[in-house]
Amino acid sequence: MAKTEDKSKKNEKGFWEDAKENINEGARIVGDEARDIGEKIAAYSEVVFGKIRESTSDIVQSGRDLTEDAVNRAQELAERYRDQNEIRKLNDEKKRVATQLGMNFYLMVKNNDNKVPPTILRRKAIKTTMNEMEELDQQILDLKDDEN
């Protein structure tokens, strides 16, 4: 029986040694697999973060382009509306001068027994206001030419 016990202890020792080797081998394989998975994850992460970085860069560049386009468009609109505002102001001034011209004409006719004086176009008040009207018209035309 002593031989059987020795054999049994030997078998038990061998079992535990085999089990230990199997566990060590399994741990090594799991470690290798984990390392491989980690490397793959790192590679995927690098690719994903690279794509995100590229996309972010593209988005930022697109944003810059859009901002630049918007600023340029806003500047163009501001110029156009500034010109239109200038034209409106010139037209308002022209109306004021036309009113003055009309008032001068009216007074000259009334002071001449309701008849148009033959020398009306030579009178300084009429000449001055007509010249002023012509200058305003020219300024308006110049601004319109600048728009086109």
Side-chain angles (χ1 to χ4, degrees):
M1 258 216 187
K3 277 190 178 180
T4 317
E5 267 183 49
D6 281 340
K7 205 175 189 184
S8 182
K9 281 185 183 178
K10 212 181 206 184
N11 284 343
E12 196 174 304
K13 230 181 188 180
F15 169 79
W16 288 115
E17 283 296 318
D18 286 345
K20 182 179 166 186
E21 280 181 35
N22 287 339
I23 290 172
N24 284 338
E25 183 64 22
R28 187 186 61 74
I29 290 172
V30 167
D32 289 346
E33 287 296 319
R35 194 176 317 105
D36 287 347
I37 290 171
E39 288 171 1
K40 287 178 183 175
I41 289 173
Y44 288 132
S45 295
E46 196 173 309
V47 168
V48 168
F49 287 124
K51 293 290 183 190
I52 290 171
R53 198 175 316 121
E54 287 172 11
S55 297
T56 302
S57 176
D58 291 346
I59 289 169
V60 168
Q61 185 59 43
S62 294
R64 283 186 193 136
D65 293 345
L66 287 174
T67 300
E68 186 177 319
D69 290 345
V71 167
N72 290 337
R73 182 73 178 129
Q75 184 63 32
E76 289 171 13
L77 289 173
E79 288 296 319
R80 181 174 355 136
Y81 287 117
R82 182 186 61 81
D83 289 348
Q84 287 179 358
N85 191 36
E86 288 295 318
I87 289 171
R88 186 182 51 76
K89 286 179 183 177
L90 289 170
N91 276 325
D92 289 346
E93 180 66 15
K94 187 176 163 186
K95 287 176 188 174
R96 186 192 64 76
V97 172
T99 302
Q100 186 179 1
L101 178 63
M103 185 56 74
N104 286 335
F105 179 80
Y106 173 77
L107 291 173
M108 286 178 193
V109 169
K110 282 299 184 188
N111 290 331
N112 193 38
D113 294 327
N114 288 333
K115 295 178 187 167
V116 178
T119 60
I120 195 166
L121 294 178
R122 286 187 245 140
R123 299 212 178 169
K124 187 175 182 180
I126 298 292
K127 280 176 142 180
T128 303
T129 51
M130 287 188 66
N131 285 339
E132 201 172 340
M133 293 272 293
E134 288 173 1
E135 287 174 16
L136 290 167
D137 282 339
Q138 188 57 53
Q139 289 176 12
I140 289 169
L141 290 174
D142 289 345
L143 282 172
K144 290 233 181 222
D145 286 342
D146 287 346
E147 273 185 15
N148 299 328

